[in-house]
Amino acid sequence: YMEFSEKVRKCGGENAIARHTQRNRKLLVRDRLRLLLDDDCFLELSPFGGLGLPYGDIPSAGSVSGIGRINGLWCMFIANDATVKGGTSYPITVKKQLRAQEIAIQNRLPCVYLVDSGGAFLPLQSEIFPDKNQGGRTFYNEAIMSAMKIPQVSVVCGSCTAGGAYVPTMAEEAVIVHQIGTIFLGGPPLVKAATGEEVTPEDLGGARLHAAVSGCVDHFAWEEKEAYDYTRNIISTLNFQLPEKEEGHEEEPLYSSEELLGLAPKNYNYSLDVKMLVSRLTDGSRFQEFKARYGTTLVTGFAKIHGHLVGIVANNGELSYQASLKGSHFVQLCDQRDIPLLFLQNTAPTAALTLSTTQADVNSNRLKAQGSFMSAVACASVPKITVVFGGCHGADSYAMCGRAFDPNFLFLWPNARVSMTAPGHAASLLPPDSEQEEEKQEDKLNRRLEEESSAFFSSGRLWDDGVILPQDTRKVLRDCLDIIRQQQYQLSTEKLQSTPLRM
């Protein structure tokens, strides 16, 4: 975890940082966020995205996304990092931006784009441009978010070339920085190649042109700091009525959250009592258990985390027939009462083999009950947060609100494993064959599972919203629950939908 964090902090490397700050006179992306945000309370999403990919390491997927407060209001940020390959968009960059927009839509978060990008990485254009969930989806999402009255502000603090030019022009308000901000479909080299004309970036698409002539932007800033002051002022006009902060005593768990570090399971063949985790996450370590004596391999119940009431669904062993029925009942109960759900996931390494008629009956009953559980989770309209503290394997991970079941947020502990079955259990995936051949194949598959099930392999491909340290779990959950609740304070959602007008 520390090794990858250090790699991400170095951005595109010393030379790229020097070029960005000294030659181009631009601020680093995290310095930009410091000028924008109220404080250092920033929930960064998928910082390890882009590491260990087939086409190389793209630190932080070439962009920083996350949620922080401006004037007390939680906002989503999508900021290009031009020190990483000049801000070029790789397939993983697009995927990260789309996930950030998806979270903004789900939680009705105002969106701030800090645009500083040279456009798509053309050698991988077939993985960036044509499909439904690729480059064009960014602009589709912008239009949909505007129709949903989710505010969007764009700051042009670098190059906006090719497809990137649509980000500021489709946002509701746009700010541009003099001499470093440019917007054009094709830059000066392309103009010269096409027409023979020599033109400067400033004359072709600079701040003066777009603020005074084209009207593509709404606010002209002489320098970056002024642009972020403009942005903070824009956010203050978004018509959210936030509640006054209550000066109440924050009730901590009876057991320290620091102890969670020692409870991260290392061996996935058995499960620790999940109540040990719950007691270190909830206010006063209180937990009102639901169906305590039935289906005990799944723990369900109500608790508060930083004052937010949540329904907790936590793996405590194999997801049996009774446990699945219990989970289905509890999820529907929370949906009826509008209580957010927290899934603590540590699924069984592998399903029991069917070697007898009795086992076949057990498996059939379990299958039907798990189907009901999955339906309840999929159809529940309340917010869902998933934390994988152990294994995330097979169909059990779906019932426990894995990525395919659309949780609002999904985080992994560094020790988490994500795969069809746990390393060491590959035999359950292989057809019966000659004993020697099967053993060879099993070893090969187990080695691959060991590598590909790592939390960092998963996070590098954005199958989650980030790897978090166990001891930070309570703080991350607090921020997520605050973010989810904020949408009820927006005052401008009741009117009929209308399309925002742009010049």
Side-chain angles (χ1 to χ4, degrees):
Y1 180 91
M2 301 314 293
E3 183 187 326
F4 284 131
S5 296
E6 184 60 30
K7 193 177 276 193
V8 166
R9 270 197 295 271
K10 288 179 178 173
C11 305
E14 288 178 15
N15 292 340
I17 289 172
R19 188 164 57 246
H20 182 86
T21 54
Q22 293 165 27
R23 193 184 77 185
N24 299 335
R25 301 190 307 283
K26 293 194 285 192
L27 295 174
L28 294 172
V29 65
R30 293 174 196 281
D31 293 333
R32 288 169 170 168
L33 290 177
R34 284 189 195 98
L35 290 174
L36 261 175
L37 299 177
D38 294 349
D39 49 41
D40 292 334
C41 185
F42 176 60
L43 179 63
E44 187 169 353
L45 301 170
S46 303
F48 302 145
L51 297 181
L53 297 180
Y55 45 83
D57 278 342
I58 314 295
S60 220
S63 69
V64 174
S65 65
I67 306 166
R69 281 194 179 99
I70 295 181
N71 300 327
L73 191 69
W74 288 105
C75 299
M76 171 65 76
F77 298 91
I78 303 172
N80 299 113
D81 186 351
T83 68
V84 179
K85 320 287 186 186
T88 302
S89 286
Y90 285 76
I92 197 72
T93 315
V94 173
K95 188 175 181 181
K96 185 169 181 177
Q97 290 172 344
L98 293 181
R99 174 59 185 155
Q101 286 182 316
E102 186 186 341
I103 291 172
I105 290 169
Q106 228 175 5
N107 300 289
R108 296 194 63 85
L109 289 171
C111 215
V112 179
Y113 304 93
L114 305 183
V115 195
D116 188 356
S117 170
F121 181 64
L122 291 178
L124 293 175
Q125 66 85 27
S126 65
E127 298 173 48
I128 296 173
F129 166 72
D131 206 356
K132 176 184 173 182
N133 285 318
Q134 291 178 356
R137 194 72 178 186
T138 307
F139 315 125
Y140 174 87
N141 284 346
E142 278 197 70
I144 293 299
M145 287 161 77
S146 281
M148 291 175 67
K149 300 187 185 300
I150 297 173
Q152 294 165 94
V153 181
S154 183
V155 183
V156 182
C157 45
S159 176
C160 277
T161 308
Y166 294 105
V167 174
T169 51
M170 291 186 74
E172 283 141 17
E173 289 194 56
V175 184
I176 195 167
V177 185
H178 182 50
Q179 291 190 328
I180 65 170
T182 55
I183 304 173
F184 32 59
L185 291 178
L190 201 61
V191 172
K192 185 171 168 79
T195 67
E197 182 185 352
E198 292 195 10
V199 62
T200 66
E202 194 62 29
D203 289 340
L204 183 64
R208 288 179 190 274
L209 176 94
H210 286 306
V213 181
S214 76
C216 276
V217 299
D218 309 300
H219 306 276
F220 175 97
W222 287 101
E223 58 180 8
E224 281 202 66
K225 186 180 182 307
E226 186 184 0
Y228 305 126
D229 289 339
Y230 273 128
T231 308
R232 289 183 60 83
N233 290 341
I234 292 167
I235 297 298
S236 71
T237 68
L238 295 186
N239 208 13
F240 279 74
Q241 189 170 1
L242 297 174
E244 290 183 17
K245 282 189 179 176
E246 294 176 17
E247 295 296 325
H249 174 65
E250 193 79 26
E251 190 174 14
E252 291 297 319
L254 295 179
Y255 306 98
S256 170
S257 293
E258 293 295 320
E259 293 174 5
L260 289 168
L261 189 59
L263 294 173
K266 227 178 156 185
N267 186 325
Y268 302 92
N269 294 323
Y270 64 91
S271 179
L272 82 165
D273 184 354
V274 77
K275 289 178 192 172
M276 294 173 73
L277 265 67
V278 172
S279 65
R280 285 155 178 82
L281 293 174
T282 61
D283 295 357
S285 296
R286 285 190 296 275
F287 180 60
Q288 183 175 316
E289 195 168 356
F290 176 78
K291 269 184 159 63
R293 292 170 179 266
Y294 182 78
T296 54
T297 54
L298 188 73
V299 170
T300 56
F302 301 98
K304 286 190 175 180
I305 296 177
H306 286 276
H308 297 275
L309 180 64
V310 293
I312 296 175
V313 183
N315 284 122
N316 203 33
E318 183 183 55
L319 198 56
S320 65
Y321 166 73
Q322 291 89 346
S324 297
L325 288 180
K326 170 179 168 176
S328 179
H329 184 175
F330 183 72
V331 166
Q332 290 175 70
L333 196 63
C334 289
D335 194 33
Q336 188 184 47
R337 296 178 185 173
D338 281 331
I339 297 172
L341 284 159
L342 169 61
F343 293 87
L344 299 176
Q345 192 180 122
N346 180 22
T347 61
T350 182
L353 295 173
T354 307
L355 300 174
S356 67
T357 312
T358 308
Q359 186 61 51
D361 285 342
V362 169
N363 286 355
S364 296
N365 284 333
R366 177 190 294 158
L367 191 62
K368 285 186 285 187
Q370 283 188 353
S372 297
F373 191 9
M374 284 187 207
S375 295
V377 172
C379 297
S381 56
V382 293
K384 308 171 195 91
I385 302 169
T386 304
V387 178
V388 183
F389 69 90
C392 174
H393 304 300
D396 288 14
S397 72
Y398 302 146
M400 290 297 294
C401 204
R403 191 52 174 262
F405 275 61
D406 224 12
N408 293 54
F409 296 96
L410 187 150
F411 298 101
L412 306 181
W413 283 7
N415 60 290
R417 293 272 174 195
V418 182
S419 58
M420 276 292 292
T421 191
H425 294 265
S428 64
L429 301 177
L430 295 170
D433 213 333
S434 71
E435 199 171 311
Q436 195 176 356
E437 186 62 32
E438 189 179 333
E439 203 172 307
K440 195 173 166 187
Q441 221 180 336
E442 190 180 331
D443 286 346
K444 189 178 173 185
L445 190 50
N446 276 324
R447 280 197 301 274
R448 187 165 180 179
L449 284 169
E450 184 70 34
E451 180 194 339
E452 293 184 359
S453 65
S454 150
F456 301 101
F457 185 94
S458 168
S459 212
R461 284 149 183 80
L462 299 182
W463 299 344
D464 53 71
D465 296 315
V467 178
I468 60 172
L469 293 172
Q471 61 268 37
D472 294 337
T473 308
R474 181 171 150 87
K475 176 185 175 297
V476 169
L477 291 175
R478 177 200 68 192
D479 290 348
C480 290
L481 291 163
D482 278 349
I483 289 160
I484 286 165
R485 179 179 281 184
Q486 177 179 278
Q487 56 189 290
Q488 71 192 52
Y489 305 128
Q490 187 178 1
L491 300 180
S492 56
T493 58
E494 297 303 318
K495 286 186 273 181
L496 293 174
Q497 303 298 340
S498 59
T499 306
L501 300 176
R502 295 289 302 165
M503 290 178 67

